[in-house]
């Protein structure tokens, strides 16, 4: 059977199934693919293990573009650790901080080309729904319409007059967007953002008399995945660009892996290509080129520059920062060739001086940054 025939057969099979069987079918097919993964895995590694100095300072741009992804990863981390905090609807801040700081380090490692691949070119987000922590469009809540309060939802009114359900929808910013009278039951669609532990929220909603079941209203056919793990004090991030037939789980992906060390330095560990159909059958899809990191703030910051005079020098450098008004302090950090921080200070004026004459001759990396911006430069001590 050709791939085209296989796809047609698969789609016809899905069309004939009732709505209530879809979730099981998606997961069963995904399991079949995972089994074949052991046989058909194709590895293509491109490794560069050098540590690149970076900073864990979180720029607003990261949270604007990846806030939802980070919160989903934090919830997944709670369940992986079997934390008692899985019972909380509000995600503990320490979990989101750990993940966002590591992602910030990758984002701020501007000398790593693959950082540009995941954020700007292939635009990877945590979207794949098959592990339960991916993309969804609110909640799908099955209700018993014999309860009087459900009439409000049937008329698309979020507030029902029932104190228990009204407290939940108000506290967690839920709004009703649709109501369906299907043959398998009556379902309300509640819209929400990802700032909550969606599983704990579902548990709370299911305790309301009149609610039969609640589940994520998962999106099917979306592609993209980010995974996070921690070994000791090191953080690891995998960014998956998924493509080709993503209705029941994408047939191909490229995965980039990054390691963030305790000092926020970043190591790019290489990439892996995988294809469900075998070697050479899944050429890498065209990039998306969303240019996530391109914004007005970044364009403005491109006008900022700095000069080190003289460079090379015996260790004493005059620093001039150009194109910025010092309404807030900038931090300055200097790293040696082993990525060790050997100097730190604050720049409070556009012109400053640093003395590194006690350091051995060689090349050093300088980072200048504030809450939103980052510059890196190389200096040489003779």
């Amino acid at each position: 059977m050709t791939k085209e025939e296989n796809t047609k057969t698969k789609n016809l099979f899905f069309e004939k199934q009732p709505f209530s069987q879809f979730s099981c079918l998606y997961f069963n097919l995904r399991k079949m693919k995972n089994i074949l993964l052991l046989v058909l895995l194709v590895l293509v590694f491109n490794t560069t293990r050098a540590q690149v100095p970076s900073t864990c300072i979180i720029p607003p741009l990261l949270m604007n573009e990846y806030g939802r992804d980070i919160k989903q990863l934090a919830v997944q981390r709670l369940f992986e650790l079997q934390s008692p905090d899985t019972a909380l609807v509000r995600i503990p801040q320490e979990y989101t901080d750990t993940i966002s700081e590591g992602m910030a380090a990758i984002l701020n490692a501007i000398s790593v080309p693959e950082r540009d691949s995941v954020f700007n070119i292939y635009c990877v987000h945590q979207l794949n729904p098959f592990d339960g922590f991916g993309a969804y469009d609110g909640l799908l809540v099955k209700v018993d319409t014999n309860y009087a309060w459900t009439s409000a939802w049937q008329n698309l009114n979020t507030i029902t007059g029932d104190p228990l359900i009204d407290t939940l929808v108000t506290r967690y910013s839920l709004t009703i967007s649709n109501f369906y009278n299907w043959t398998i039951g009556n379902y309300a669609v509640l819209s929400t953002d990802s700032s909550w532990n969606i599983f704990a929220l579902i548990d709370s909603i299911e305790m309301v008399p009149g609610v039969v079941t609640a589940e994520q209203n998962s999106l099917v056919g979306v592609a993209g995945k980010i995974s996070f793990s921690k070994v000791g004090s090191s953080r690891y991030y995998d960014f998956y660009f998924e493509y080709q037939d993503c209705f029941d789980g994408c047939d191909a992906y490229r995965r980039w892996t990054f390691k963030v060390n305790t000092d926020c330095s970043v190591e790019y560990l290489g990439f892996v290509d995988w294809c469900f159909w075998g070697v050479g059958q899944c050429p890498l899809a065209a990039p998306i080129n969303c240019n996530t990191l391109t914004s007005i703030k970044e364009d403005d910051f491109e006008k900022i520059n700095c000069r080190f005079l003289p460079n090379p020098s015996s260790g004493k450098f005059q620093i001039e920062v150009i194109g910025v008004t010092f309404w807030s302090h900038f931090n300055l950090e200097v790293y040696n060739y082993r990525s060790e921080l050997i100097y730190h200070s604050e720049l409070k004026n556009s012109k400053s001086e640093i003395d590194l004459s006690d350091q051995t001759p060689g090349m050093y990396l300088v980072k200048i940054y504030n809450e939103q911006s980052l510059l890196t430069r190389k200096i040489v001590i003779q």
Side-chain angles (χ1 to χ4, degrees):
M1 180 180 290
T2 66
K3 180 181 177 184
E4 290 77 12
E5 292 170 337
N6 179 284
T7 302
K8 289 179 181 178
T9 302
K10 180 171 60 176
N11 290 341
L12 180 61
F13 176 71
F14 271 91
E15 289 171 2
K16 292 182 178 180
Q17 305 308 309
F19 176 84
S20 59
Q21 297 181 16
F22 273 13
S23 295
C24 293
L25 291 172
Y26 296 154
F27 282 98
N28 287 339
L29 282 173
R30 188 60 175 175
K31 288 179 181 177
M32 292 170 61
K33 284 191 172 184
N34 287 340
I35 294 173
L36 289 174
L37 170 65
L38 298 175
V39 180
L40 298 174
L41 186 64
V42 180
L43 300 179
V44 181
F45 285 102
N46 177 22
T47 51
T48 52
R49 295 297 297 269
Q51 291 185 14
V52 175
S54 188
T55 172
C56 286
I57 292 178
I58 303 170
L61 181 65
L62 177 66
M63 298 311 297
N64 290 340
E65 298 293 334
Y66 280 84
R68 179 168 180 151
D69 308 79
I70 289 166
K71 290 167 186 173
Q72 288 177 336
L73 291 172
V75 173
Q76 187 168 3
R77 182 67 174 165
L78 284 171
F79 281 89
E80 288 173 352
L81 297 176
Q82 299 181 345
S83 168
D85 290 335
T86 54
L88 301 176
V89 177
R90 298 184 186 276
I91 306 167
Q93 189 67 38
E94 59 265 27
Y95 287 89
T96 56
D97 285 348
T98 296
I99 294 169
S100 57
E101 287 171 0
M103 285 189 69
I106 299 170
L107 184 73
N108 293 332
I110 57 178
S111 61
V112 179
E114 291 75 15
R115 160 263 197 196
D116 197 48
S117 296
V118 299
F119 289 118
N120 269 344
I121 300 174
Y122 290 97
C123 314
V124 180
H125 284 272
Q126 170 69 351
L127 298 175
N128 193 314
F130 288 100
D131 58 6
F133 297 93
Y136 61 89
D137 186 19
L139 298 171
L140 195 61
V141 182
K142 184 177 182 180
V143 299
D144 182 350
T145 53
N146 290 317
Y147 285 79
W149 66 264
T150 64
S151 63
W153 281 11
Q154 293 179 66
N155 292 307
L156 302 185
N157 295 318
T158 302
I159 301 302
T160 67
D162 180 88
L164 185 54
I165 192 64
D166 288 351
T167 297
L168 290 173
V169 297
T170 302
R171 179 179 298 165
Y172 300 117
S173 304
L174 305 173
T175 56
I176 185 163
S177 55
N178 282 296
F179 193 92
Y180 300 105
N181 299 112
W182 288 321
T183 56
I184 59 173
N186 303 292
Y187 286 83
V189 178
L190 294 179
S191 299
T192 183
D193 59 25
S194 63
S195 59
W196 319 118
N197 174 355
I198 197 71
F199 303 101
L201 181 55
I202 286 171
D203 289 342
S204 298
I205 291 174
E206 288 184 332
M207 294 177 65
V208 176
V211 172
V212 181
T213 60
E215 60 184 290
Q216 295 181 69
N217 189 24
S218 296
L219 301 178
V220 177
V222 293
K225 179 181 176 182
I226 305 172
S227 67
F228 167 81
S229 61
K230 192 173 182 182
V231 180
S233 58
S234 298
R235 288 168 276 195
Y236 294 84
Y237 296 81
D238 291 320
F239 293 81
Y240 294 76
F241 174 65
E242 299 179 308
Y243 57 98
Q244 192 162 307
D245 188 16
C246 290
F247 181 71
D248 64 330
C250 301
D251 286 341
Y253 64 69
R254 171 164 289 185
R255 183 188 76 208
W256 295 267
T257 300
F258 299 83
K259 177 185 177 184
V260 179
N261 299 300
T262 307
D263 62 355
C264 295
S265 62
V266 174
E267 296 178 52
Y268 170 59
L269 303 184
F271 70 83
V272 172
D273 282 341
W274 174 77
C275 176
F276 172 72
W277 302 102
V279 180
Q281 300 302 307
C282 301
L284 186 63
I288 297 173
N289 292 321
C290 60
N291 297 316
T292 298
L293 306 184
T294 302
S295 68
I296 295 176
K297 289 181 179 179
E298 277 211 358
D299 290 343
D300 288 342
F301 187 63
E302 287 177 0
K303 302 173 185 176
I304 301 173
N305 204 345
C306 65
R307 293 185 296 196
F308 291 82
L309 299 172
N311 187 21
S313 83
S314 60
K316 293 184 178 181
F317 297 87
Q318 299 290 329
I319 306 169
E320 183 178 7
V321 180
I322 305 166
V324 63
T325 301
F326 270 75
W327 56 269
S328 66
H329 296 168
F330 277 72
N331 290 288
L332 181 145
E333 296 177 352
V334 182
Y335 294 84
N336 63 18
Y337 73 96
R338 292 189 295 269
S339 300
E340 297 171 339
L341 178 65
I342 56 103
Y343 183 88
H344 173 267
S345 67
E346 283 190 352
L347 300 181
K348 300 179 180 180
N349 300 289
S350 59
K351 294 183 179 181
S352 303
E353 180 180 306
I354 60 172
D355 186 353
L356 302 175
S357 55
D358 60 338
Q359 299 296 321
T360 57
M363 183 177 295
Y364 293 80
L365 180 68
V366 181
K367 294 193 300 184
I368 298 175
Y369 61 89
N370 65 4
E371 291 83 357
Q372 298 182 1
S373 308
L374 173 70
L375 284 173
T376 58
R377 294 292 183 269
K378 292 179 181 179
I379 58 174
V380 176
I381 299 176
Q382 294 180 327

